[in-house]
Amino acid sequence: MCWIGACLQSAFEVDTLRDEATSAWITMMMTLDDEDLEMMIENAFAIMALNWDLLQPLARERMKEMMDHLLQDHTAIIRKKICLLPSLATIPELARYQALLNTMRDETDIRERLQVFSERCQHEHISVVVQALKELSSFLRENQSFVHLSAASEQPDAAISKCIRSLLDACVRFAGKHSDVANLCAQCIGLVGCLDPNSIDASRADQDILVRSNFDNAEEAMDWVMSFLHEILFKAFISATIPRAQGFIGYAMQEFLKFCGLDSTVILQGKGLHTNDSYRRWIRLPYPVRNSLTPFLSSKYFVPAGLSNARCVYPILPSYPTFSSWLRTFVMDLLQKGRGENAPEIFAVCSRVVRNQDVSIAEFLIPFVALNVVVGGGDTQVKEVGQELLEVLKHEVDGEKQEEKEHLRLCSDTVFRILDYFSKWMQEKKKQIAYSRYPSAGPVSRTHSQAQHAADEFKIHRVEYVLRMVPAEVISRRAMECKSFSRALFHWERYIRQERLASKSPPRTCSTEALYERLQEIYTQIDEPDGIDGISVYLRALNIDQQVLEHRKAGRWMAAQSWFELQLAERPDDLDVQVNLLTCLKESGQHDVLLNHVEGLHRPQSLKTKLLPFVTEAAWATARWNILEKYVGCANAGLSADFNVNIGHILLALYKKDSAQFTSLVLNLRESIAKGLSRATTASLQSCHEDLLKLHVLNEVELISGMSTSSPSRETILRTLDHRLPVLGSYLLDKQYILTLRRAAMQLSCVEFQKEDIASAWLTSARLARKGKFIHQSFNAAIHASQLGAESAKIEHARLLWSESHHRKAIQTLEGAIATNAFQSHNSPSAEDSVANLDARQDVQQNILMARAHLLLAKWLDSAGQTRSHRVGAKYQDASRAHIKWEKGHYYLGRHYNKLYESEKTLPPHRQSSAFRMTLTEARTKNLEIIHKAIDKVLEKGPQYVEVVKRSKSTSPAIDVRNLINQGQKLIEQLLNVCNGELHGRPSIVSASRDLGFSHKCTPCQLVVPLESTLFATLPRNPDAERNFQLFSSQPVTVSAVLDEVTILHSLQRPRKISVRGSDGGVYGLLCKPKDDLRKDQRLMEFNAMINRSLKRDADSSKRRLYIKTYAVTPLNEECGLIEWVDNLRAFRDIVIHLYRAKGVVTNFAEIRSLLDEATSHPSKLHIFEDRVLSVFPPVFHDWFVEMFPEPGAWFAARLKYTRSCAVMSMVGMVLGLGDRHGENILFEEGNGGTFHVDFNCLFDKGLTFEKPERVPFRLTQNMVDAFGVYGYEGIREGPFRKSCELTLDVLRQNEEALLTILETFVYDPTTDFIGKKKKSVKHVPETPQDVLDSVRGKVRGLLPGETVPLSVEGHVDELIQQAIEWIKSLLAVPFVLHAQPTALYDDGTDTNATQLAANVRRRYAEIMRDVEGLIKDHIAQRQAGTPERSKLKSLVPTVGNFFTPLQLESAFLFQDDLRRISSRHFVAPSFNDVRLTLNTAQLMSLVQDDPVQLITFDGDLTLYDDGESLTPNNPVIPRIIRLLQQDICVGIVTAAGYTEARDYYRRLHGLLDAACNAHSTDLSADPSGGHSQALGNSLTDVQRRNLVVIGGECNFLLRAEPNDAAVDRNKTLKFVPRDDWALKEMKEWREEDIQELLDVADSALRECIENMNLPAKIVRKLWAVGIIPKQNAKFTREQLEETVLVVQRKIQLGTRERLPFCAFNGGQDVFVDIGDKSWGVLCMQRFFGGIPGHRSLHVGDQFLSAGANDFKARLACTTAWIANPAETVALLDELQGLLDARA
């Protein structure tokens, strides 16, 4: 039948045969029986609709006869297919029939109609698809409001996702052969718009087929054949219009059915038995497929022999340059080489349907036949396959030949598919071998013989050989060219992992750095803004190009622009620099500057071609039509390769009002875009986003142009545009591009747009730029809007001033705008991103714009804290009065009153205002009455969504509330029976009615199925956009029945999974949990839902699709409840165990538990964890993503989703104190890789009270980190994980009040114990509801336990990550606490017990120190051997740095214990000072042990003298320093003071300089404790005196002590040394302009801090430094100093082109930024004194904290000692001298 239909369809296309074909078609349709007619009915209607205008009158009458026949004799078929039948509404002569059809159709809503269109677009017959697309185009134009509002809502309708997926697939399917169909698809896609892939998931659900046995297994071969029949051949047969082609496909289907053992006899015998495997395969096929294949069960097709066996010459590609010819030739050659038991027979049939058939057949076959030849063919054939794959990926074509480039892209995509299949097959085969060797480890229980293992390993070896023939570099490069960036990343990361394993090289060696540079290049092309930062960690020093790359990726175009301007000054003829500069100008919105720049250039032809896209876009963006015409004329005739140039042509045609050219250009450009879509590029909305944006733009240009005769009105166009922009979600730059194009098109349109319309577009651009922090662009757009008369520009201008911290000016500007009544004529409620400026209603009291202005002013006055509360309250009242129905005004007014109320409550009773309290009470009572009335209305209108019993006499007119409640009570009672029903034994499946006492009489019930989709309201992103927006589905899914089969889970409480059939026919899973109070889980889901809404509203978070996976939780009572069953979840524990088993690693949990207990029992045994646990269980979680998502695009999306969702849940879990995060409470979504958490019983830091306290803020194990990518532990500090953490924490801080309000209702709920009972009381663990709120508030604000100064978001995240990955520190801290037992001291009343106890503690502490000492020695040894990754200490503490010497910790502890009696303390544990001084002693001991110390450097303030003082002659440190000089030890003082005069340094250090340079008789033994240096004997030699140097400005000036007579000016005892004599090579390359730029940025940041924190400070600018000092009689607080340091550090890091070293430090009462830091100063002194190494140098300082401490970086140059005051320096030098004397 299909064959006949194909013949007749072909005849319809021939004018001379159309009438005869029509007659034959009608005759056929009138003679078919119901079974055949059902298959052809849709096609018949479509052919009639498409060809009606071409038919003769007689043929039309016959068509009417056919319709009469169908409607009278086949009504049942018509009714069955009515929804899918094409419309006849466009044919007036068939209006009667259309009316009859309409009576048969049930009333459907827009969602259902969209779903029907989606199905019709997937039809096999092209005629059906064409008619569906035509109808869909009209439907979308009529219903754009629904489509776009739903797409922009919190939960977009699934029908939209299905529709866009169907359109993309249809476009790809018809793009090659039927461009008109593809054009229709593209037109519909443009009407839908460029949907945000972060909100709508329309990924293609590909079903991968894997033939593990390579066709040797008959069962597997038959399964493959049936899939081939169903997925490929059947569709090709139906869609074929050439009878000969259908005949060959029919022959193939006949032979394949025979191969599977299917004929008419088997089908007849199989009915009723269902035991025959062949029949089961048959019955699995869909009914339409079985119906079409049935004739071939007994057909007699015959194809004579004679197939050519000509051998191909490899490589094939050069001889067959087109994609189809290459693919068919390659496949045909491979089919003739089939090897194995079943492959030759299958391939022989396949060879008959490759030539002259749809290319999709060859595309399907190629990976299977290629693998068959590689596994079973000869060595030559294997090499030929590998060479062909390599040839395709290496082949190059002329860049100007677009058609050849497209063919090569398609060939490359095919090779990628082959390589993907090879990799997946090899992976599965290796797992199969592992399972066969360890039968208990996997699903395969049978074992293989040794011969079978050898054969399989040989096959794997062959596949590996071919894969190795194609280098990762080649795949990555071609993937980049094909814009398959995820694939490039996938292969390059695998290559890096392989190189790591092969070379065992550390991450930052030169060899691996080149790999990461390539990885960074790939990340620049991926729409993932955070990956580059993670990779940059592994680049030891970022060159300028890499820094510019980071600026560009982060959107800092102005910073990148500055660099390219400098480059252009040096290389004005460099084309690449020109293009880069123009890119920066374009992306930053500087179109005028771009045009002026290009106009001033000398433009050779090569430059014109490169610059054309930039200049054309700039020309139409600035409405310079004469310039646009000039440059567009330079382009080649026809379509350009650049979209913007083509848009220039289109706008020029609109400018000239040339309707024909305009329509033609739009049509051709749309067709070109449609042809460019491929299966690979349309795998997801993300992958084809750029093409969707182009189609979106084309649709809007058409709409605005007014060129069509049926063009809608201006108001309709504006309303449509208003709804279209939000669908792009967080793509701010794309929105700006569209707005720019809208403004250009509106100026040229045939529709008379007003100035206000264009001004509104400018205002929207200003808002978007402000949100994206593009302040220059925002100001520019606001000015343009103001010039066009938009009064709203004043609000935007005020917002910009506020965002730039000009708060007072912003308030004044807004007050001025309000005072002039600037907004009273604008009363149209518009969307946030509105373009429309609708006609105003002149109602001053209800002016929405005025209300917004008043509210904004009130919030600013409240925030600034510069206005009295009564005035602020008045402003809030103004906002609520300006628009009474606007809920925001009332909300903020109530919040302000609540703030005042809480403030009043804190006052003593006698100071509380009774009038205020009375007024507030009355207002609350009145508002509560209003709220109760509103709730009553909700209960009446939506009773199906109510889960509480409402005692009310009123009932809904549609539903009997009393009956609904009764039904609900009965259903709940039966569900409680299921929860509490007693189970006997351990069954897996039971009967609900028989075993659990469930009565099915309680169903059906009008309550909705308790799912998240039915219980939670869907809110529009802009409530003003659509008043009739439906919060819930118009057709709620109610409970129809509860299925009897119940699955029992084998966890402790034996939860039961039931299945509920909904009123829509779907079956939904629910988990009945007994003995578990789910009210806490339910509230947590509400809390998480609130966070999700906040994340979606934040632009950066929405762009990254940050979310928490939530589900419905429905408590039935205090002990039982229902949880929505979420399919396709996998526990982390199961995944990891499965992966280890696949590698042959069997998990023995008892053994692991024993090893962990032993490893944590004492620090000396920590190596057990590394040696016997980590080494056995290496990271494998990344393999799960490769296994589950073999397609690179899906792999990257899944990994990114995992990383980001893990980050979100880590931050939320940290804030809530969520614990008990073991491997079964963390699950992953198998469909997308997202993280899914369950079991929220352990909240509010309850984990700290466990027997083994949970000390980490969240789980971040080696497996979890490894799956983030190749970043490793160091990379996660700057990559996607960290950025997602920062964004989440920032959103939590922004919404602190709302979140705490929700949490407050939880913890104070008297029916639920949210705190729970704890085993013990632990410090910092909340015990009361108020403690909980305080704890959560502190965490949100960045307060660490015990701290009073909050951290910034960045600092907080950094600290949390460090805690999570350095969890081993907590293990070290566990044994290193007070070992003594105070109660034991008083057992016998003697001192013996105390003495023994102290000795025992001393021994234990010494053991700990000895173990750590050993770890340090191993760390040093591994670094020296070039294998730092093998360091045990590095594994335990990933951020550990370098050690210049070993540390004698055991001896040092014993020394300090003798001094400080640490082990004799019984109530006070070892303190930080104890550890610090022990480390100092250990460093001194190690420093003098072997090589003598040669250089000692000192900080100044707080190290040698008190802060703000100077080194006076009586300072006790002076004789000790002179003693060092006498021993030929060089001494340096590294000070931050950047004086340019020697006398200033002398003034600070005169005591030491006088003693060293002017004393003639210095006898140190006479007064070893200090005293006047003049009284000392033994003068220093001149050489020893010159060994005293001073470094100023950290590393910017070096002065040397000079011998000097007392009579000479003492200010000359110091002499500047020429910079060339001591500066490092790198320092000499620092450029003055870079230095001044850094200081300028620091200066600006300091001034910003002064303004923001109101600091009483003044700026001090020096040659190489800038800082702030307090004004006279003023002081800074510690918090102000630390905040200033952190702000300045961040600003410099983000705002400078060249990464010069700098130091921003807290000086106690000042903050300074110096060029360089102390590490450079120490290195300079080491060089000056002849190259002293770090292990023979010591730096003594007092500031070693990481934030604002200028001694911190000295650790990079030499050994260090951390002292707290000058007295400790004296003690340290005495200790050193004692060690030196002992060594001598």
Side-chain angles (χ1 to χ4, degrees), residues 75-112:
T75 307
I77 297 297
I78 296 292
R79 288 187 182 278
K80 184 177 179 180
K81 306 283 286 189
I82 189 67
C83 290
L84 299 175
L85 292 182
S87 173
L88 305 176
T90 57
I91 307 174
E93 296 173 69
L94 300 179
R96 179 172 64 89
Y97 301 106
Q98 183 63 31
L100 287 172
L101 292 172
N102 289 339
T103 61
M104 296 182 186
R105 288 189 170 97
D106 295 329
E107 186 175 350
T108 56
D109 60 12
I110 298 175
R111 295 175 178 82
E112 292 171 334

Side-chain angles (χ1 to χ4, degrees), residues 1325-1566:
V1325 176
E1327 297 184 352
T1328 66
Q1330 188 57 48
D1331 289 345
V1332 169
L1333 294 175
D1334 292 341
S1335 173
V1336 173
R1337 184 181 289 107
K1339 290 178 179 179
V1340 169
R1341 294 179 178 179
L1343 285 169
L1344 296 177
E1347 295 288 337
T1348 57
V1349 180
L1351 295 172
S1352 64
V1353 169
E1354 293 83 357
H1356 196 185
V1357 169
D1358 191 61
E1359 177 63 26
L1360 292 171
I1361 292 177
Q1362 185 166 328
Q1363 289 178 17
I1365 64 176
E1366 297 192 359
W1367 57 271
I1368 194 64
K1369 287 183 177 180
S1370 66
L1371 294 180
L1372 281 170
V1374 171
F1376 199 83
V1377 293
L1378 193 64
H1379 280 294
Q1381 302 173 10
T1383 56
L1385 291 176
Y1386 310 103
D1387 288 345
D1388 56 12
T1390 65
D1391 293 335
T1392 306
N1393 190 42
T1395 304
Q1396 291 176 346
L1397 199 57
N1400 187 39
V1401 171
R1402 177 181 171 94
R1403 176 182 57 79
R1404 291 185 181 182
Y1405 286 166
E1407 288 175 356
I1408 293 172
M1409 290 299 180
R1410 186 191 315 136
D1411 293 333
V1412 177
E1413 184 178 326
L1415 289 172
I1416 294 173
K1417 287 181 179 178
D1418 171 73
H1419 180 73
I1420 295 172
Q1422 294 295 350
R1423 288 187 66 89
Q1424 291 174 346
T1427 56
E1429 74 282 354
R1430 297 180 182 176
S1431 162
K1432 298 177 182 179
L1433 188 60
K1434 180 75 172 176
S1435 299
L1436 299 173
V1437 186
T1439 57
V1440 68
N1442 188 24
F1443 290 88
F1444 288 91
T1445 67
L1447 295 179
Q1448 298 184 28
L1449 291 172
E1450 182 181 10
S1451 299
F1453 168 75
L1454 296 175
F1455 176 83
Q1456 287 293 337
D1457 190 45
D1458 290 338
L1459 292 177
R1460 304 172 66 82
R1461 297 297 178 184
I1462 300 170
S1463 58
S1464 297
R1465 299 201 299 255
H1466 305 295
F1467 291 94
V1468 178
S1471 67
F1472 172 77
N1473 282 333
D1474 293 329
V1475 176
R1476 177 175 59 82
L1477 295 173
T1478 301
L1479 287 171
N1480 287 347
T1481 300
Q1483 186 61 79
L1484 295 179
M1485 289 179 172
S1486 300
L1487 197 62
V1488 301
Q1489 183 179 18
D1490 298 320
D1491 297 327
V1493 60
Q1494 293 182 318
L1495 171 65
I1496 300 180
T1497 63
F1498 299 90
D1499 184 32
D1501 289 355
L1502 291 177
T1503 302
L1504 297 177
Y1505 44 85
D1506 291 330
D1507 190 26
E1509 302 297 326
S1510 61
L1511 198 55
T1512 56
N1514 62 347
N1515 192 311
V1517 80
I1518 293 176
R1520 288 160 177 82
I1521 292 178
I1522 291 178
R1523 179 67 185 274
L1524 294 175
L1525 292 171
Q1526 286 180 334
Q1527 297 173 85
D1528 295 324
I1529 296 174
C1530 301
V1531 175
I1533 298 173
V1534 189
T1535 175
Y1539 304 132
T1540 56
E1541 298 290 337
R1543 62 175 176 269
D1544 294 321
Y1545 292 102
Y1546 172 78
R1547 189 172 60 252
R1548 296 294 295 272
L1549 306 172
H1550 64 93
L1552 174 62
L1553 293 171
D1554 288 345
C1557 298
N1558 300 307
H1560 291 280
S1561 58
T1562 304
D1563 183 6
L1564 219 67
S1565 59

Side-chain angles (χ1 to χ4, degrees), residues 1055-1247:
R1056 301 99 200 264
K1057 181 197 173 189
I1058 63 172
S1059 299
V1060 177
R1061 179 175 287 114
S1063 55
D1064 62 345
V1067 177
Y1068 304 94
L1070 297 174
L1071 188 67
C1072 300
K1073 289 204 73 175
K1075 301 178 183 178
D1076 194 356
D1077 188 352
L1078 295 182
R1079 289 173 295 177
K1080 187 186 299 185
D1081 295 67
Q1082 183 191 39
R1083 295 297 182 83
L1084 257 295
M1085 286 302 107
E1086 294 175 18
F1087 185 79
N1088 290 344
M1090 177 65 185
I1091 293 174
N1092 279 339
R1093 282 193 283 271
S1094 301
L1095 290 171
K1096 284 185 177 181
R1097 285 195 296 266
D1098 182 75
D1100 288 332
S1101 300
S1102 176
K1103 184 176 182 180
R1104 291 167 176 82
R1105 301 182 74 171
L1106 302 186
Y1107 78 111
I1108 303 172
K1109 179 68 175 178
T1110 56
Y1111 47 89
V1113 180
T1114 310
L1116 299 177
N1117 60 19
E1118 295 84 354
E1119 295 183 347
C1120 301
L1122 304 176
I1123 296 178
E1124 178 182 359
W1125 183 268
V1126 183
D1127 289 317
N1128 302 317
L1129 293 177
R1130 190 93 176 272
F1132 186 32
R1133 176 181 182 273
D1134 292 342
I1135 293 172
V1136 173
I1137 290 175
H1138 168 78
L1139 293 170
Y1140 282 131
R1141 286 175 177 173
K1143 294 179 179 295
V1145 179
V1146 180
T1147 310
N1148 185 327
F1149 293 104
E1151 181 183 359
I1152 294 173
R1153 187 178 297 109
S1154 174
L1155 290 172
L1156 288 176
D1157 288 341
E1158 185 178 359
T1160 56
S1161 64
H1162 195 275
S1164 63
K1165 298 182 179 180
L1166 282 174
H1167 65 89
I1168 295 174
F1169 177 69
E1170 181 186 3
D1171 296 341
R1172 300 180 61 185
V1173 179
L1174 289 183
S1175 61
V1176 177
F1177 298 94
V1180 293
F1181 190 35
H1182 69 274
D1183 288 332
W1184 182 75
F1185 289 90
V1186 177
E1187 177 183 326
M1188 291 300 300
F1189 310 97
E1191 196 278 318
W1195 163 83
F1196 181 66
R1199 194 184 74 179
L1200 208 54
K1201 194 158 195 171
Y1202 153 69
T1203 303
R1204 290 170 173 171
S1205 59
C1206 184
V1208 174
M1209 205 55 217
S1210 295
M1211 293 298 102
V1212 174
M1214 178 275 300
V1215 167
L1216 293 175
L1218 179 61
D1220 198 26
R1221 298 298 89 197
H1222 54 73
E1224 290 184 336
N1225 280 344
I1226 302 176
L1227 298 88
F1228 296 97
E1229 300 178 75
E1230 291 186 323
N1232 56 34
T1235 309
F1236 187 90
H1237 283 247
V1238 295
D1239 192 352
F1240 299 100
N1241 280 323
C1242 184
L1243 285 172
F1244 310 129
D1245 297 317
K1246 184 179 177 181

Side-chain angles (χ1 to χ4, degrees), residues 1442 1444 1717 1719 1723 1752-1758 1760:
N1442 188 24
F1444 288 91
D1717 54 51
S1719 67
L1723 289 170
F1752 178 72
K1753 290 191 176 179
R1755 302 179 311 163
L1756 303 175
C1758 65
T1760 56

Side-chain angles (χ1 to χ4, degrees), residues 615-860:
V615 73
T616 51
E617 180 180 347
W620 54 253
T622 54
R624 299 189 188 181
W625 308 117
N626 55 336
I627 295 180
L628 177 63
E629 188 170 13
K630 178 176 71 173
Y631 281 97
V632 166
C634 301
N636 297 327
L639 284 178
S640 169
D642 185 80
F643 180 74
N644 282 321
V645 176
N646 293 321
I647 288 293
H649 282 291
I650 291 171
L651 290 176
L652 214 52
L654 183 59
Y655 175 67
K656 297 175 181 179
K657 299 298 184 287
D658 188 340
S659 177
Q661 187 183 14
F662 176 85
T663 305
S664 173
L665 287 170
V666 170
L667 187 69
N668 292 336
L669 182 53
R670 184 180 285 126
E671 183 178 327
S672 173
I673 296 169
K675 285 183 178 179
L677 294 173
S678 67
R679 186 174 177 81
T681 57
T682 58
S684 65
L685 293 183
Q686 184 75 55
S687 60
C688 61
H689 176 80
E690 186 177 340
D691 294 307
L692 294 182
L693 179 65
K694 293 175 182 178
L695 295 174
H696 182 116
V697 164
L698 275 180
N699 177 267
E700 294 202 356
V701 171
E702 267 190 310
L703 180 66
I704 296 171
S705 70
M707 284 289 190
S708 172
T709 55
S710 58
S711 180
S713 65
R714 165 183 163 269
E715 290 76 14
T716 303
I717 293 174
L718 291 173
R719 193 179 304 111
T720 300
L721 295 177
D722 191 31
H723 293 156
R724 283 176 65 87
L725 198 64
V727 304
L728 278 89
S730 56
Y731 285 82
L732 299 185
L733 292 180
D734 291 343
K735 287 183 177 181
Q736 291 285 26
Y737 178 78
I738 289 173
L739 288 166
T740 304
L741 196 51
R742 284 182 184 180
R743 292 191 291 267
M746 283 179 180
Q747 295 178 58
L748 305 176
S749 174
C750 297
V751 180
E752 294 184 1
F753 288 97
Q754 300 175 4
K755 289 196 303 182
E756 289 84 354
D757 304 328
I758 300 174
S760 186
W762 277 114
L763 267 182
T764 306
S765 287
R767 294 189 195 106
L768 293 173
R770 172 171 49 81
K771 290 179 179 179
K773 298 180 177 60
F774 300 112
I775 302 302
H776 172 79
Q777 277 182 266
S778 186
F779 271 115
N780 181 53
I783 290 171
H784 276 88
S786 183
Q787 289 174 342
L788 292 170
E791 298 292 343
S792 307
K794 295 179 180 178
I795 290 185
E796 188 57 36
H797 185 251
R799 284 183 179 275
L800 281 165
L801 290 171
W802 183 271
S803 67
E804 287 287 277
S805 299
H806 303 300
H807 297 164
R808 188 180 297 278
K809 185 66 176 175
I811 291 173
Q812 290 174 352
T813 302
L814 190 54
E815 286 179 330
I818 294 174
T820 58
N821 295 325
F823 314 118
Q824 289 193 6
S825 61
H826 297 269
N827 182 39
S828 55
S830 59
E832 173 66 15
D833 293 328
S834 174
V835 176
N837 192 341
L838 307 179
D839 295 334
R841 296 171 301 186
Q842 302 299 326
D843 185 353
V844 177
Q845 294 180 350
Q846 298 295 306
N847 194 307
I848 182 66
L849 204 54
M850 179 66 82
R852 285 177 174 164
H854 276 295
L855 178 59
L856 189 61
L857 178 60
K859 289 164 69 176
W860 284 354

Side-chain angles (χ1 to χ4, degrees), residues 91 148 201 343 350 471 658 771 889 895 914 1037 1241 1410 1500 1682 1700 1705 1763 1765:
I91 307 174
H148 298 132
D201 184 13
C350 292
D658 188 340
K771 290 179 179 179
R895 196 174 75 163
S914 57
V1037 180
N1241 280 323
R1410 186 191 315 136
E1682 292 184 357
L1700 295 178
F1705 64 92
I1763 56 87
N1765 49 59

